[in-house]
Amino acid sequence: METLYFSWEEGPAVLKPVGDGDFGYFITPESSDWTLATPNQVADFFIDGSRMSKSEFENMFGVIGNGLPDLPDNFFKK
């Protein structure tokens, strides 16, 4: 399972496999950190967003963990 990269609502968005599921995250223009996407927002990544290669995403938004915040890998591990 691979991370998918998108441009959505004028910002970066990703769909990341975590455990047995996939979780979407995005950064809004008003925020500087990742927000957990609802299932409807993840669907909208595909409908209104633009899927990108990792290199296209990094050229447009920066590298996750270097320029962009790290994704919250431990968010669901409690």
Side-chain angles (χ1 to χ4, degrees):
M1 309 237 351
E2 65 179 278
T3 299
L4 302 180
Y5 300 90
F6 298 87
S7 172
W8 181 71
E9 299 287 325
E10 301 181 24
V14 296
L15 186 60
K16 180 172 178 53
V18 178
D20 292 335
D22 292 332
F23 294 93
Y25 301 95
F26 63 94
I27 298 177
T28 65
E30 304 83 37
S31 177
S32 60
D33 205 357
W34 295 104
T35 300
L36 180 63
T38 66
N40 286 341
Q41 288 170 321
V42 170
D44 202 44
F45 292 176
F46 291 92
I47 296 167
D48 288 332
S50 299
R51 187 162 170 200
M52 313 172 87
S53 69
K54 183 177 182 181
S55 62
E56 290 171 323
F57 179 91
E58 290 175 345
N59 285 335
M60 182 175 280
F61 298 113
V63 176
I64 294 172
N66 184 11
L68 288 174
D70 283 320
L71 290 170
D73 281 334
N74 296 325
F75 189 80
F76 296 96
K77 297 177 183 175
K78 295 187 178 190

